[in-house]
Each structure stands twice: as C-alpha cells, then as structure tokens.
Amino acid sequence: MQPNETPKGPRVLCVYFSYTGQTEKVLRAIATPLQAQGCEVTFAKIGFTDPRYAKRFSEFPMPRPMLEVIGMIPAELRRRPGKIEVPESVTAAAYDLVVIGSPTWWLSTNVPVRSFLQSEAARKALSGTPFVAMVVCRRYWRHNMKTVRRLGTEQGGQFLDSLHFRYAGGQVRSLLSLLSYLGSGEYRKKYLGVKIPDTNIRDEQLVEAGFFGAGIADKIGQAA
Ligand SMILES: Cc1cc2nc3c(=O)[nH]c(=O)nc-3n(C[C@H](O)[C@H](O)[C@H](O)COP(=O)(O)O)c2cc1C
C-alpha cells in the first residue's frame, strides 16, 4: 500500500534491525494475525550504514565470527548512535501501533536500533503512538528490553507490551552454537569438539509470536 492511500484497518509499523533474519521472522509471525484482522502492516528494516561497522554485517556467514562479534564491544559500550538508513515508510504515514524488533548485542540494544530510537524519525513515528518492544537474543534480553522501552517512551511512545525470545542451550553451548552458525550459516551438531543445540528461533517460538500478535490485534481493535 502507498503511504498516502487510506488504510482499511489500523496501521502497524514493524521497525527493526536483523542480521541473520531471526528478528524479522518473529515480526512476520506477530504480523500475520494482525493482517488477518485487517491491519495494514508495514515492515521497515533499518540499514546499518556506519562505515566503521557496516562491512561485517553486509555478508553472511561472517568470515571470522569471533572477531567480528568482539569487534562490536567498543561501539556497544559507547552507547552512541551510529550511521543508519531509515526507510521512508517510517515517517511517510501516521501509525496506530509501532512494533520495535531489537536483537541483543553485548547485553544491550544493538547499535542500529539504538541509533534509530535516538533519531528524529523515531520521534515522528512514536510520538503519541502505542508501541511494542520485541527482543531476540541468545540469552540476555533484559537490558535490551529496558533500553528499547526507555528510549521509545522518551520519544513520546506509549509502551503497550513486550515479548522476548532466547535461543536453546546454556551459557557455553548456546554461545558455541551461535558462533558456529554465524561462521558457517549451518546448523552443526558439534563445534570445537563440543555437542551443540541448534541456535536461532525455533518453530514453537514462532507459534508463540503468532499468539502474541493475536493478543495485540485484540488490544488495538478494542482501542479503535
Ligand atoms: C555483534 C553481536 C553481539 C551479540 N551479543 C549478544 C549478547 O551479548 N547477548 C545475547 O544474548 N546475544 C547476543 N548476540 C546474539 C544475537 O542477539 C542474536 O544473534 C540475534 O538476536 C539474532 O537476530 P537477527 O538475526 O535478527 O540479527 C549477539 C550477536 C551479535 C551479532
């Protein structure tokens, strides 16, 4: 749908960053029941264009996953915005709901989503609008969620609900599995000689995301 067309139902914006596609997968599962109930859903993926970091996220799998992931620590600790590209659709229409999809990087909100949440575009999209915070991570979701919620609220958004998903495995095996996947794009049974579970979002989590989306559809339907 074009931004200036009249929508049939509530307008929902899903704005996110996604490197391996997990966050996007969850957002699409949340969106399915919203669309079934007549919402017009727009997906807006933030481009991470910062010349200091863009190259490592421009290819998948990563040639040196450990180094690439560790290389993001300084940027994450600085908590400063980086250069991003925000799709026009974010500010081209007024939305009834914004869903923010944020993968965790180094215990907190990834640089592109943080940068977006500190931007003028976020203010335009969020001001006076209910929002949902959705986090995908290997294990650590709390600080990321708190940050998305705080920055979204500072931009005038009205926090509505949240959802988070974690990957399988304990501290060590989930990390080995993630590094194995980031470096190969494959689900291997072992990495560095250690048996590992499959990383990433599982099918049952997508089902849960669908139920969550149905609940959100009811909430915004009632509000309308
Ligand atoms: C640079 C980087 C740092 C990460 N740091 C963490 C972390 O500190 N804690 C955690 O639980 N997951 C961490 N992860 C795993 C990501 O949260 C997970 O791969 C992500 O949710 C995948 O979503 P996406 O495919 O949509 O990008 C990290 C991933 C990357 C690429």
Side-chain angles (χ1 to χ4, degrees):
M1 194 181 75
Q2 295 304 307
N4 50 1
E5 277 179 52
T6 311
K8 292 188 215 70
R11 268 183 158 145
V12 178
L13 172 70
C14 293
V15 58
Y16 63 100
F17 178 77
S18 192
Y19 170 56
T20 71
Q22 308 309 306
T23 305
E24 182 169 322
K25 228 193 275 185
V26 174
L27 288 176
R28 294 203 179 266
I30 293 174
T32 301
L34 286 160
Q35 287 164 322
Q37 297 218 19
C39 295
E40 299 284 351
V41 182
T42 301
F43 291 91
K45 181 175 171 180
I46 296 161
F48 194 20
T49 52
D50 196 302
R52 291 168 294 178
Y53 319 113
K55 191 173 175 293
R56 77 188 67 200
F57 297 104
S58 67
E59 56 184 336
F60 179 80
M62 288 174 160
R64 296 163 306 163
M66 184 89 85
L67 287 180
E68 322 273 17
V69 168
I70 288 176
M72 290 311 294
I73 294 178
E76 281 295 324
L77 292 183
R78 273 199 296 276
R79 306 269 191 257
R80 300 290 300 276
K83 204 161 171 261
I84 55 168
E85 208 169 84
V86 179
E88 247 181 64
S89 54
V90 169
T91 49
Y95 292 96
D96 301 294
L97 173 73
V98 177
V99 184
I100 303 161
S102 177
T104 296
W105 285 2
W106 291 106
L107 309 178
S108 191
T109 305
N110 62 89
V111 181
V113 169
R114 178 189 296 277
S115 308
F116 167 69
L117 287 172
Q118 293 174 324
S119 72
E120 196 44 45
R123 172 156 292 276
K124 281 191 186 150
L126 284 163
S127 193
T129 308
F131 74 96
V132 166
M134 194 283 287
V135 164
V136 177
C137 63
R138 178 177 68 84
R139 277 175 77 82
Y140 298 100
W141 59 274
R142 272 179 216 279
H143 195 274
N144 183 3
M145 183 70 80
K146 248 173 77 178
T147 304
V148 171
R149 187 172 171 168
R150 176 175 59 79
L151 294 177
T153 307
E154 282 173 11
Q155 294 287 33
Q158 298 155 1
F159 175 75
L160 180 71
D161 210 339
S162 67
L163 179 69
H164 68 273
F165 289 113
R166 306 164 80 190
Y167 300 164
Q171 177 59 277
V172 173
R173 284 172 209 272
S174 71
L175 178 61
L176 291 175
S177 182
L178 178 68
L179 290 173
S180 162
Y181 180 77
L182 289 178
S184 68
E186 290 168 12
Y187 296 111
R188 295 188 284 211
K189 294 290 162 215
K190 276 186 166 188
Y191 185 60
L192 303 177
V194 179
K195 250 183 101 181
I196 49 172
D198 283 352
T199 190
N200 289 342
I201 288 294
R202 302 183 293 283
D203 287 349
E204 67 266 24
Q205 292 175 317
L206 293 178
V207 173
E208 196 183 325
F211 283 125
F212 177 83
I216 293 295
D218 286 345
K219 276 190 196 175
I220 60 170
Q222 279 159 17

